[in-house]
Amino acid sequence: MPTINQLPVLSTISSGDQLPVYSPNNGDARRTSIGSLLTFFQQSFASPTVAVNLFVPSSGFNITVPTPVSEAQWMLIQPAGTLASGTVTLPLNTSVPDGTTVLITSTQEITTFAIALNGATAIYGAVTTLAAGSATEIRYYQPTNSWYAVNTTLILAAGIQAWLGNPSSANLRAAMTDETGTGLLVFNTSPTLVTPILGIPTSGTLSNCTGLPIATGVSGLAANVATFLTTPSSANLALALTDETGTGANVFANTPTLVTPIIGAATGTSLSTTGNQVISSTGKHGYATGAGGSVLQGTSKSTGVTLNKSTGQITLDGAALAASTTVTFTLTNSVIEAGDILILNHISGGTAGSYLLNAQSGAGSASINVRNISLGSLTENPVVAFAVIKAVTA
């Protein structure tokens, strides 16, 4: 066999030109074409060159990576705006050379992102979302029939880089896009918040709190209740109540002075009025102790007497009073008014049933008539009890 230097020079190689190849399976030397050798290299090893593929998809897309022709694939996704979802399907595993790399870049955010394996066993380090301007790079390893993350670009939002370099409250607030309020971050369990505006808490405990505006800070109050809470007057309480009776000031004492009250059905042990008029616990109407008095008539049964009481007793003079004879005397009494009624009773002293009593009231006095209705003259001291009753004609 001639040596290599003895062979003629082939200046141009074609696909059909052949090369000697030793085949261990056959145990001898054989020949193969240059084209077959090139195909073997293309299928077995990735080319260092990169094929760029540009796509402008819509949401829900499914883009398949072109079958590598000994090239790394760069999938450049350039949608018009943010996409809710999208999928990139890898090339069929039986057509992927060992070491093939796929680089996926998106100019806009893809919120839900997936990579379909297309025959491969697994993918390690896959991303599930792509931020605007971010990328992910994966490489195929033929012995495990799996894809592995080589590099994932982290694209930071505006302001995040500044906060990572100087993590102050102000820088974090500048990086945030949905914050509420300004000032310093709060980590304490009992912070001091200056003029916070709270929404509607489901629960909470207020202690040592001041300055809560009733009119605007408390909800659920009935009409005029807030006014009463801020200015608790009797008039404001009456406005807030819906079933009150009467008007005027509230009464809290146990001996109040009520001006012209109108009392309906009432129950009590007694009712006292000016002049010691009472309704006792036994149901009697009349006068209490202090309303009465007594007086003794002098000289004759026609002699006037003075007793400024609502009730009392008059002991008449003992002069003789002839049968069927009437004697009149004047009872001066500041309690009596014109039109009032005097109730008169012979209660003791003298012969019971022998006297007829009558009275005519005037302003400050009353004329009292005493008549002997027996058949003989009576010389005795009858005691007459009286009570003044107010009476009107209108």
Side-chain angles (χ1 to χ4, degrees):
M1 180 176 180
T3 63
I4 191 72
N5 291 331
Q6 294 174 320
L7 296 175
V9 176
L10 182 61
S11 58
T12 301
I13 300 176
S14 66
S15 177
D17 293 341
Q18 297 184 347
L19 297 172
V21 177
Y22 177 76
S23 175
N25 292 335
N26 297 309
D28 57 7
R30 302 200 175 195
R31 66 181 185 275
T32 186
S33 66
I34 292 178
S36 297
L37 183 60
L38 177 60
T39 299
F40 170 76
F41 281 114
Q42 288 176 338
Q43 293 179 348
S44 301
F45 303 99
S47 170
T49 60
V50 178
V52 180
N53 304 282
L54 176 64
F55 301 92
V56 185
S58 58
S59 184
F61 68 84
N62 192 330
I63 300 171
T64 300
V65 178
T67 299
V69 184
S70 300
E71 295 175 329
Q73 299 291 327
W74 182 16
M75 307 294 292
L76 178 56
I77 302 174
Q78 188 171 308
T82 299
L83 301 181
S85 62
T87 301
V88 169
T89 299
L90 296 172
L92 186 64
N93 66 322
T94 58
S95 301
V96 180
D98 188 29
T100 297
T101 299
V102 175
L103 174 64
I104 304 171
T105 302
S106 179
T107 60
Q108 299 291 338
E109 179 184 349
I110 303 175
T111 305
T112 302
F113 179 70
I115 298 177
L117 296 180
N118 200 9
T121 301
I123 182 170
Y124 299 95
V127 297
T128 57
T129 185
L130 282 177
S134 66
T136 181
E137 184 178 10
I138 55 177
R139 182 168 296 164
Y140 181 68
Y141 183 51
Q142 198 174 60
T144 61
N145 189 30
S146 299
W147 294 84
Y148 298 85
V150 177
N151 182 37
T152 299
T153 304
L154 178 62
I155 304 299
L156 301 177
I160 293 296
Q161 186 65 51
W163 181 76
L164 291 175
N166 181 16
S168 67
S169 297
N171 284 344
L172 178 59
R173 185 173 65 253
M176 300 293 293
T177 59
D178 59 353
E179 75 281 357
T180 297
T182 60
L184 302 179
L185 291 171
V186 176
F187 293 101
N188 202 321
T189 57
S190 55
T192 299
L193 305 178
V194 180
T195 62
I197 299 177
L198 303 179
I200 303 176
T202 57
S203 63
T205 300
L206 296 177
S207 59
N208 300 324
C209 294
T210 60
L212 177 65
I214 293 298
T216 58
V218 179
S219 63
L221 299 178
N224 300 311
V225 172
T227 303
F228 169 73
L229 292 176
T230 54
T231 307
S233 66
S234 297
N236 286 342
L237 178 58
L239 290 174
L241 292 172
T242 60
D243 59 354
E244 75 282 357
T245 297
T247 59
N250 284 323
V251 176
F252 294 99
N254 57 9
T255 56
T257 299
L258 304 178
V259 180
T260 63
I262 299 176
I263 301 175
T267 301
T269 58
S270 66
L271 174 63
S272 298
T273 63
T274 302
N276 294 319
Q277 300 177 47
V278 298
I279 300 175
S280 69
S281 59
T282 60
K284 296 179 181 178
H285 293 212
Y287 299 95
T289 300
S294 63
V295 64
L296 178 65
Q297 188 180 46
T299 308
S300 68
K301 284 183 170 59
S302 62
T303 302
V305 296
T306 300
L307 182 60
N308 296 313
K309 295 292 184 175
S310 299
T311 185
Q313 294 181 0
I314 304 170
T315 301
L316 301 183
D317 184 68
L321 180 61
S324 301
T325 302
T326 299
V327 64
T328 300
F329 68 92
T330 299
L331 169 62
T332 300
N333 190 328
S334 59
V335 175
I336 300 173
E337 295 177 320
D340 285 354
I341 295 175
L342 267 68
I343 298 177
L344 302 171
N345 275 290
H346 174 206
I347 62 169
S348 67
T351 305
S354 297
Y355 297 95
L356 177 65
L357 304 173
N358 191 26
Q360 301 83 44
S361 62
S365 66
S367 295
I368 298 178
N369 313 122
V370 180
R371 182 177 178 81
N372 178 1
I373 59 174
S374 69
L375 298 178
S377 177
L378 298 174
T379 303
E380 51 193 14
N381 301 96
V383 178
V384 177
F386 74 90
V388 179
I389 304 241
K390 182 64 185 172
V392 295
T393 59

